[in-house]
Amino acid sequence: MKLLLLLLCLGLTLVCGHAEEASSERRNLDVDKLNGDWFSIVVASDKREKIEENSSMRVFMQHIDVLENSLGFKYCIKENGMCRELYRVAYKTPKDGQYFVEYDGGNTFTINKQDYDRYLILRIVSYKNRETFQVMSLYGRTKDLSSDIKEKFAKLCEAHGITRDNIIDLTNNVDLVPEHVLVLTLQIAVSRPEVEERPEPPVLSGDLSPGLQHHHFLSMEHPETNSAI
């Protein structure tokens, strides 16, 4: 009984510690430094189906614009193997570091951790049709980040009740480009003279999902590896 109480107290201490640290991060947030290009590195959710292939919350960040009392997000989602570009504006709420955005329901998010030159961690609480779930996203200034930063993200997910089985690394995803660029590329390829020697065009309808086996906290959803996003 004493051991159980000790473990419970330890767990509460860790949760409170993370909450205080996140609150401090939000108070000290320098929003202007968020401006610029970002890449989606890892995504997690307490409802895994919300971030699986072709799901609305499996987004690939491209750019953040710092606006007046708001943030603009340019990103894309994959639909049927194609990239669909979207832009949403998130508006600041009265709470420190919290924003609200309409996207497939209502979403409030806070910036839990940031290193403006390297990475950014967002915690999103999404609700639609009386259903509520959370999503955590790790963005990077580069197309991949160190295993130490990914492990820090994984531990933060666990502190918010998200298991490691529900963490997906996106860095091995194939490069996603807008659909009109893919169509134009195919048109150019078809219009070339038949006598010209060229490699076979890529198959766009195949499984483009990321390989996940290279990080120990990730699930083995797809064993094949592809080029990085």
Side-chain angles (χ1 to χ4, degrees):
M1 187 66 178
K2 289 183 178 179
L3 179 59
L4 180 61
L5 289 174
L6 180 61
L7 292 174
L8 180 60
C9 290
L10 178 60
L12 290 173
T13 301
L14 291 174
V15 171
C16 291
H18 279 295
E20 290 177 2
E21 186 178 0
S23 179
S24 176
E25 292 272 356
R26 292 194 293 269
R27 285 195 301 269
N28 297 325
L29 181 65
D30 188 345
V31 177
D32 289 337
K33 292 183 179 180
L34 300 178
N35 195 74
D37 293 338
W38 292 93
F39 299 91
S40 292
I41 307 296
V42 186
V43 65
S45 177
D46 53 2
K47 293 196 174 181
R48 183 182 171 86
E49 65 271 17
K50 299 297 184 179
I51 57 171
E52 288 180 339
E53 194 75 9
N54 296 314
S55 298
S56 62
M57 301 305 288
R58 190 178 179 123
V59 306
F60 296 87
M61 188 60 60
Q62 296 176 335
H63 191 89
I64 296 178
D65 292 318
V66 177
L67 310 171
E68 185 176 356
N69 293 321
S70 60
L71 296 172
F73 292 88
K74 179 184 178 184
Y75 59 97
C76 69
I77 59 173
K78 191 166 69 173
E79 294 180 343
N80 300 318
M82 301 291 191
C83 176
R84 178 187 173 197
E85 285 192 339
L86 299 170
Y87 192 90
R88 292 289 186 276
V89 175
Y91 297 93
K92 197 175 185 310
T93 73
K95 293 185 178 180
D96 286 336
Q98 186 185 75
Y99 291 81
F100 174 83
V101 60
E102 284 279 356
Y103 170 67
D104 196 20
N107 303 271
T108 57
F109 69 86
T110 53
I111 297 171
N112 277 41
K113 284 186 176 294
Q114 71 279 332
D115 179 334
Y116 305 105
D117 296 325
R118 293 194 297 162
Y119 70 89
L120 181 65
I121 297 177
L122 266 62
R123 177 175 179 263
I124 304 162
V125 177
S126 181
Y127 48 92
K128 181 182 180 182
N129 298 329
R130 298 183 181 179
E131 179 186 28
T132 301
F133 61 94
Q134 59 178 330
V135 175
M136 295 191 68
S137 297
L138 172 63
Y139 304 140
R141 287 292 190 183
T142 55
K143 292 185 178 182
D144 203 352
L145 293 170
S146 70
S147 58
D148 289 343
I149 295 175
K150 291 179 180 181
E151 178 62 18
K152 180 185 295 187
F153 174 79
K155 289 180 178 178
L156 192 59
C157 288
E158 288 181 319
H160 286 286
I162 300 176
T163 64
R164 292 183 180 238
D165 289 340
N166 287 1
I167 302 175
I168 299 177
D169 192 320
L170 302 173
T171 56
N172 282 343
N173 240 308
V174 68
D175 285 332
L176 295 180
V177 294
E179 182 176 352
H180 67 273
V181 176
L182 288 173
V183 173
L184 178 60
T185 301
L186 291 176
Q187 288 175 343
I188 293 173
V190 171
S191 66
R192 290 177 181 173
E194 290 297 323
V195 295
E196 180 183 350
E197 294 185 3
R198 62 184 185 275
E200 291 295 321
V203 178
L204 297 180
S205 60
D207 184 3
L208 303 181
S209 301
L212 306 178
Q213 70 276 14
H214 62 292
H215 289 292
H216 69 277
F217 59 82
L218 302 176
S219 71
M220 300 297 293
E221 182 186 26
H222 299 285
E224 301 87 356
T225 57
N226 297 305
S227 57
I229 183 170

